[in-house]
Structures are given as structure tokens and as C-alpha cells.
């Protein structure tokens, strides 16, 4: 678990996202905003993807990388 996971979860919930912490090989979070659901992978600023995470992305999974509270704010803007 990345050290910034809980601050990101708290920020997302404070902004109105529904958040489920799954923390598995596919993603760390399942989030929803106004009916739009996304998979989020939380990484520290210098964190890298595991081999499994790279393979999942290569398969076509669309997973947003979130490294900071600013990324949460950006996601909300982009999701409408």
C-alpha cells in the first residue's frame, strides 16, 4: 500500500466521489463520480508500475494513475 493512499481516498470522498479500496493487482481504487466509474492506481510521486500492472495496461485496461490530491481534483474536472 502506497503511503499516499489514504490522503487520496479522503480527498476523493471529500470531493464527493464514491470510493472503494480494492488494492489488488488490477487497481487500488474503484471510484465513481456522477455515474462515471474509473479504476485508479495510487502511486507515490516516484512510484512505478509492477509487471502485472504493466501487463494489465497492455491488455487495454484504462486505469488512471493518481499520485496526489491535485490529481484527484484534476480527475473530478475531467469526469465532469
Amino acid at each position: 500500500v502506497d503511503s499516499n493512499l489514504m490522503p487520496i481516498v479522503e480527498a476523493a470522498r471529500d470531493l464527493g466521489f464514491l470510493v472503494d479500496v480494492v488494492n489488488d493487482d488490477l487497481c487500488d481504487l474503484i471510484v465513481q463520480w456522477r455515474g462515471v466509474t474509473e479504476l485508479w492506481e495510487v502511486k507515490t510521486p516516484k512510484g512505478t508500475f509492477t509487471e502485472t500492472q504493466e501487463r494489465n495496461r497492455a491488455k487495454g485496461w484504462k486505469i488512471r494513475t493518481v499520485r496526489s490530491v491535485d490529481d484527484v481534483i484534476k480527475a473530478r474536472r475531467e469526469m465532469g
Side-chain angles (χ1 to χ4, degrees):
V1 174
D2 292 292
S3 61
N4 56 341
L5 179 71
M6 289 316 298
I8 285 172
V9 168
E10 291 169 9
R13 287 179 175 155
D14 287 347
L15 287 171
F17 284 96
L18 293 176
V19 181
D20 187 15
V21 179
V22 292
N23 200 25
D24 64 17
D25 286 338
L26 184 59
C27 64
D28 289 323
L29 307 174
I30 300 173
V31 301
Q32 187 174 75
W33 171 252
R34 294 186 176 172
V36 177
T37 303
E38 286 191 349
L39 307 176
W40 287 7
E41 178 62 33
V42 176
K43 292 291 181 193
T44 60
K46 294 183 180 181
T48 59
F49 298 111
T50 66
E51 286 182 30
T52 301
Q53 291 167 339
E54 291 286 0
R55 280 194 303 273
N56 287 333
R57 287 169 182 268
K59 289 178 188 175
W61 283 101
K62 294 185 179 183
I63 304 168
R64 183 186 294 265
T65 304
V66 181
R67 296 180 184 274
S68 67
V69 171
D70 286 339
D71 288 342
V72 175
I73 295 167
K74 180 181 176 186
R76 183 170 166 207
R77 272 196 315 267
E78 290 175 354
M79 292 171 75

